[in-house]
Amino acid sequence: MRKIIFALFMSLGLSMPASAELIVVKTEKSVAEAMDALEAAVGNAGATVFARINHRKGAETAGLEMDFAETLIFGNPKLGTPAMNSDIRASLYLPLKVAVYAAPDGGVVLTYEDPADMFEGLDVPADAPYVKTMQGALAKLTGAAAN
């Protein structure tokens, strides 16, 4: 029985995408200011904001404390649908997400995962035009929010 469990564990572990490095964009803004700017940039780009999650507020409702941290969940069906048509498992990573938080070393950062890395191990070509467009959009949006 142990051998079966071990084999199952190993096969699941080997089929999961490797952990990717995250892209970090520094800003002089506060978390709220950077998140407001990101949300505005996403809206101005014609994408849909699905959720803005305030993690600190969530922690407070549980009687816990944490630094300022928010996550914006957003997307554009013109980009996400082709990825999911290539491999429906892409829906595990879409819509896109950007975290904005107080960095441990001070300051505030916007952080996101490169779409090519997110989709690694799926049947989504890393060089697909929609992946390149997602990469460019994330860089542009986080850059606009940071400045």
Side-chain angles (χ1 to χ4, degrees):
M1 182 68 167
R2 283 190 217 186
K3 289 181 182 181
I4 293 172
I5 293 172
F6 179 74
L8 179 61
F9 176 75
M10 290 304 292
S11 68
L12 287 174
L14 294 174
S15 66
M16 298 293 283
S19 179
E21 288 192 38
L22 300 174
I23 297 171
V24 177
V25 178
K26 295 181 181 184
T27 184
E28 297 298 318
K29 295 178 180 178
S30 70
V31 170
E33 291 169 334
M35 183 58 79
D36 288 344
L38 178 62
E39 188 170 6
V42 167
N44 291 337
T48 300
V49 172
F50 295 106
R52 178 173 172 168
I53 302 164
N54 184 327
H55 299 292
R56 181 179 178 141
K57 187 181 277 186
E60 289 172 354
T61 65
L64 302 170
E65 294 180 9
M66 68 177 291
D67 275 334
F68 292 101
E70 295 190 39
T71 299
L72 194 70
I73 301 172
F74 61 95
N76 183 332
K78 291 180 182 179
L79 298 176
T81 302
M84 289 184 277
N85 281 337
S86 291
D87 189 329
I88 192 59
R89 295 174 296 169
S91 65
L92 293 168
Y93 305 99
L94 297 172
L96 297 172
K97 296 160 210 62
V98 174
V100 181
Y101 53 92
D105 61 352
V108 170
V109 296
L110 296 93
T111 304
Y112 63 93
E113 189 173 1
D114 184 321
D117 291 343
M118 277 191 307
F119 300 140
E120 188 177 321
L122 303 181
D123 293 328
V124 176
D127 62 350
Y130 53 84
V131 173
K132 298 291 184 197
T133 302
M134 285 180 196
Q135 291 170 318
L138 283 164
K140 183 177 179 181
L141 294 168
T142 55
N147 295 320

